[in-house]
Amino acid sequence: MHAVRQWLDQARSVAVLTGAGVSAESGVPTFRDANGLWKQYRVQDLATPSAFARDPKLVWDWYNWRRSVLAEVKPNPGHYALADLEKRIPKFTLITQNVDGLHELAGSRNVLRLHGSIWEVRCLACGHQAVDLRISFPEIPPKCHCGGLLRPAVVWFGEPLPSDIWKAAETAARSSDLFLVIGTSAVVYPAAGLVQLAKSSGARVVEINVAQTPLTGDIDQFLQGPSGELLPQLIA
Ligand code: BJW
Ligand code: ZN
């Protein structure tokens, strides 16, 4: 913890990669932990383009359930600590795999959402994309004003990440002198590849997680524990 505090004090450019673990203490289910979403539901049924093509109502019912859970939760001290940290570092980029919007709610400004937003919808027919905070729709699946089918504007398996956001994330990872990877199992690519990119570009890498991941043996410092407790301590 002491070394990491020093690195933070010296850092001019910090990039952070977060995953579902940072929102766990807010009450948001993760994907791959013991009670994670992928333990209860099959990815192939819910989070792929072909699942949506097959049964858009099933997919929307699941996303609406998740939206209703998220509507009740708040950012936790880990989210707020990252928003505070951003104010202290000359160049700071928060790269998140999360779709929940809690970093932005906590006040983080420079956020790159690699996997989209659960609070946005996109039309399959005309491409129109917009914020849509409803948790119940008059009809499911909901329709665009053009009559096309709306889908959640998130990135499903087998889909490319938004290319401008991905490029910005690569640039941030490459130019960072300190890279924090927090609350992610680091098994989903290309997001997890940012850690190696930062490392090979010369950044120190610090991981914060309650459990070890495939990255843990290969980084500069592992801080084991809940991010909602460790992050506030780190920046205190
Ligand atoms: C705590 C904590 C606390 C708990 N404090 N910690 C290379 C090899 C093999 C396959 C591939 C490959 N490259 C690409 C692929 C395919 C695939 C992939 O990665 N598959 C692997 C799983 C094998 N990737 C893709 O398909 C991606 N697209 C792509 O590659 O496109 C290529 C392409 C190019 C051109 C044309 C077409 C295609 C897209 C991936 C999209 C991922 N989508 C999801 C769903 C988003 C929408 C939604 O939410 O519904 O994103 S899946 C899910 O996983 C979600 C997450 O963002 C993502 C990562 O999960 P995360 O955040 O790491 O959560 P968990 O649950 O896994 O981990 C939580 C962690 O927190 C744990 O470590 C806990 O210990 C920890 N924790 N409490 C701190 N309190
Ligand atoms: Zn449309």
Side-chain angles (χ1 to χ4, degrees), residues 52-67:
F52 190 73
R54 199 165 49 237
D55 195 342
K57 180 173 182 317
L58 178 76
V59 173
W60 260 116
D61 283 340
W62 189 65
Y63 276 93
N64 278 338
W65 165 69
R66 288 177 58 203
R67 285 158 74 108

Side-chain angles (χ1 to χ4, degrees), residues 18-26 28-33 36-38 43 46-47 62-63 66 76 96-100 114-118 151-161 182-192 207-214 223-230:
T18 65
V22 293
S23 296
E25 290 153 87
S26 293
V28 181
T30 62
F31 293 93
R32 294 170 187 81
D33 292 311
L37 294 170
W38 296 154
V43 175
L46 297 164
W62 189 65
Y63 276 93
R66 288 177 58 203
N76 67 58
T96 188
Q97 301 168 83
N98 298 347
V99 300
D100 56 28
L114 294 180
H115 294 161
S117 168
I118 200 167
R151 60 163 280 181
V154 299
V155 179
W156 286 324
F157 281 109
E159 295 188 308
L161 277 51
I182 310 172
T184 175
S185 58
V187 297
V188 171
Y189 282 80
E207 178 176 44
I208 299 177
N209 201 304
V210 290
Q212 299 202 2
T213 74
L223 301 178
Q224 183 159 17
S227 50
E229 290 172 24
L230 292 183

Side-chain angles (χ1 to χ4, degrees), residues 183-207:
T184 175
S185 58
V187 297
V188 171
Y189 282 80
L194 290 170
V195 181
Q196 187 51 44
L197 179 63
K199 194 173 156 60
S200 62
S201 310
R204 284 200 173 100
V205 178
V206 175
E207 178 176 44

